[in-house]
Amino acid sequence: MELNAWKSQLRKGAAELAVLAALDRSETYGLELLERIRAAGGLDLSEGSIYPLLNRLQKEGKIRGRWVEDAGAAHPRKYYGLTDDGRALLAGMIAEWTQFE
């Protein structure tokens, strides 16, 4: 495997872990989730990468989404939260990461 391909796979795995970990704290909408991850440092995700990841995780049953009419927002926001399967995946990922270090 060439280095760039490896780095890409590493980034994808780290992004998935970051999303699940951020959603474990509380339910949130996409842009706020992106801001939380960026504020934690280390990962520079874009809107173009976060939404496909959220869609995939939702299709896989790891997260759930629901539309909410927020009073201060111009349009409804889709809020995401972890499912039981998502919590189990997160726990497994954290355990693997801890052993990896």
Side-chain angles (χ1 to χ4, degrees), residues 26-75:
S26 66
E27 187 180 69
T28 190
Y29 60 94
L31 286 179
E32 185 178 68
L33 177 64
L34 190 58
E35 289 172 12
R36 283 184 192 179
I37 292 169
R38 286 177 177 165
L43 280 178
D44 186 24
L45 297 178
S46 67
E47 287 181 48
S49 62
I50 193 86
Y51 288 106
L53 176 55
L54 289 169
N55 287 330
R56 180 177 60 78
L57 289 170
Q58 187 172 359
K59 284 180 186 176
E60 292 174 356
K62 308 305 182 206
I63 64 173
R64 66 185 177 290
R66 65 181 180 93
W67 290 98
V68 175
E69 294 278 346
D70 280 345
H75 53 79

Side-chain angles (χ1 to χ4, degrees), residues 1 4 23 25 32 34 47 50 60 69 80 89 93:
M1 175 183 287
N4 286 337
L23 290 176
R25 292 185 205 119
E32 185 178 68
L34 190 58
E47 287 181 48
I50 193 86
E60 292 174 356
E69 294 278 346
Y80 298 92
L89 175 60
M93 292 172 92

